[in-house]
Amino acid sequence: MTDWAYLAVATALLGTAAFILLEGFLALNPQQPPEEPQSPYPRASAIIAAYLPNEAATVEETIDAFLRIDYPAGLQVILAYNTPRDLPVEAALRALAERDPRFVPFRVEGSTSKAQNVNAALAIVTGEVTAVFDADHQPDADSFRRAWRWLSSGWDVVQGHCVIRNGEESWVARMVAVEFESIYAVSHPGRARMHGFGIFGGSNGYWKTKLLRKIRMHGSMLTEDIDSALRSVEAGYKIANDPYLVSRELAPATLGALTNQRLRWAQGWFQVSLKHLPLGLRSRHLTLRQKLGFFICWAGASSIRCCRCRCSQSSGTGCWSMTVRSIGPFRCSC
């Protein structure tokens, strides 16, 4: 039995290495949008999701960056935020909204998640295109123009390239900066060409508003962004990946912050894998090539055993935790 297990693991590792090599070669020639949009620029909206006690120090800089974006058809900038208490920065945000009507500060009462903030903001979105961002992002000035070149030519969602802008802050941030380049400049565009679909990664993603209102974000999922992307792909919608559609963000600067972030991501991807691998393989909208992509990307995660742990801070709902046979259980990261 041990010999068979060793053979299975070795085969999986060799297969993974081969697919990574193929992704790298395909990323040398990523898909490109048309040179010109296929229809006139429509009005657009940006939803910036924030939890203000954590992001009050950077949110004004973020808003300033969005208001500098060059877009000819009008850009609505919504800061959809939740906070457990009133904060001084809220007065500054209201003053900014009075000076510039493009900006809409929107406090989502009772919200406890990014998913709730985004879903609530969709009720006041006025654009035909809606982009979703985290509160530390600063997109390039031509980002909405480039995104419309994709969306006007038959694509439903386009995921851009997230670049780390605080790499000099610590060795952890520098490590994440290198990792993000391998992900957003190589893996994602290569994988999109190989499998025939891209993935919305939670920020710097541009949606047709009608689709985002239909799909929405599910707060029950730890990685609600990946869940929304896979539900879209399973329903037959097209997601592009563009390594030249750039937005700059902040990386965790300490090992503890990075560990917390990656544990949540790992738990969320595992949760998504359990839900979507069988759904993707059964979807009548996916080609055989795309179903193979689902299997390659998510079958491995489904081989990890899952357990439910009870978090003392939760209200009886529990949280996701992973158990790997050779490593032992991770602690609950709630």
Side-chain angles (χ1 to χ4, degrees):
M1 186 69 177
T2 303
D3 291 340
W4 281 107
Y6 176 82
L7 181 60
V9 171
T11 302
L13 291 174
L14 286 172
T16 299
F19 281 118
I20 290 174
L21 185 63
L22 180 57
E23 288 172 8
F25 280 116
L26 291 173
L28 293 173
N29 185 28
Q31 288 179 292
Q32 297 287 345
E35 290 294 328
E36 298 293 334
Q38 304 302 294
S39 59
Y41 292 107
R43 183 168 174 78
S45 298
I47 298 177
I48 306 165
Y51 178 61
L52 273 195
N54 291 351
E55 293 155 326
T58 60
V59 70
E60 290 182 85
E61 180 184 2
T62 296
I63 300 303
D64 287 341
F66 275 84
L67 294 177
R68 291 194 299 268
I69 288 175
D70 177 26
Y71 187 69
L75 176 63
Q76 176 193 38
V77 180
I78 302 172
L79 177 67
Y81 70 93
N82 60 304
T83 177
R85 60 186 183 278
D86 294 338
L87 296 171
V89 71
E90 292 182 274
L93 294 173
R94 288 191 293 268
L96 177 58
E98 291 176 2
R99 296 194 303 271
D100 194 328
R102 294 176 297 169
F103 174 54
V104 182
F106 184 54
R107 180 168 172 170
V108 185
E109 299 294 346
S111 172
T112 58
S113 69
K114 174 182 176 179
Q116 290 174 306
N117 290 350
V118 172
N119 290 341
L122 285 172
I124 62 171
V125 159
T126 60
E128 186 178 327
V129 174
T130 299
V132 179
F133 293 89
D134 291 333
D136 60 342
H137 270 255
Q138 297 182 7
D140 281 356
D142 68 340
S143 56
F144 278 80
R145 289 173 178 263
R146 186 174 179 89
W148 180 243
R149 286 161 55 189
W150 286 99
L151 299 179
S152 66
S153 61
W155 296 86
D156 301 294
V157 186
V158 55
Q159 171 64 49
H161 179 174
C162 299
V163 175
I164 297 302
R165 60 185 171 90
N166 65 325
E168 298 302 316
E169 188 171 345
S170 70
W171 70 269
V172 173
R174 286 194 295 273
M175 180 181 69
V176 175
V178 173
E179 179 205 29
F180 265 43
E181 288 307 297
S182 72
I183 293 172
Y184 286 100
V186 181
S187 293
H188 282 187
R191 215 169 282 170
R193 282 200 62 200
M194 181 164 61
H195 301 321
F197 64 89
I199 290 295
F200 166 60
S203 195
N204 195 27
Y206 301 75
W207 293 67
K208 289 181 177 177
T209 300
K210 287 183 179 179
L211 174 60
L212 186 55
R213 283 182 169 145
K214 176 181 178 180
I215 294 294
R216 301 177 69 81
M217 303 283 173
H218 289 177
S220 60
M221 306 299 291
L222 287 173
T223 47
E224 69 287 325
D225 43 15
I226 306 300
D227 172 70
S228 66
L230 295 184
R231 286 188 285 115
S232 300
V233 171
E234 290 160 4
Y237 295 101
K238 297 171 60 181
I239 302 179
N241 186 280
D242 188 347
Y244 300 104
L245 183 57
V246 174
S247 181
R248 292 165 173 81
E249 65 173 291
L250 300 175
T254 67
L255 193 57
L258 180 66
T259 300
N260 289 337
Q261 179 193 70
R262 297 313 167 90
L263 279 175
R264 181 177 62 82
W265 287 2
Q267 293 164 6
W269 271 91
F270 181 48
Q271 183 188 25
V272 163
S273 299
L274 291 178
K275 175 182 177 181
H276 285 284
L277 179 59
L279 295 177
L281 295 179
R282 293 198 303 266
S283 173
R284 59 185 177 86
H285 298 288
L286 299 182
T287 65
L288 181 60
R289 170 189 170 196
Q290 291 171 322
K291 290 181 179 181
L292 179 62
F294 259 72
F295 182 79
I296 292 170
C297 290
W298 289 283
S302 296
S303 66
I304 302 173
R305 293 189 296 127
C306 174
C307 67
R308 296 282 287 181
C309 68
R310 194 66 67 177
C311 178
S312 61
Q313 296 179 352
S314 69
S315 56
T317 58
C319 66
W320 287 88
S321 183
M322 298 189 304
T323 302
V324 184
R325 290 181 187 273
S326 60
I327 300 175
F330 289 110
R331 284 190 174 185
C332 168
S333 64
C334 294

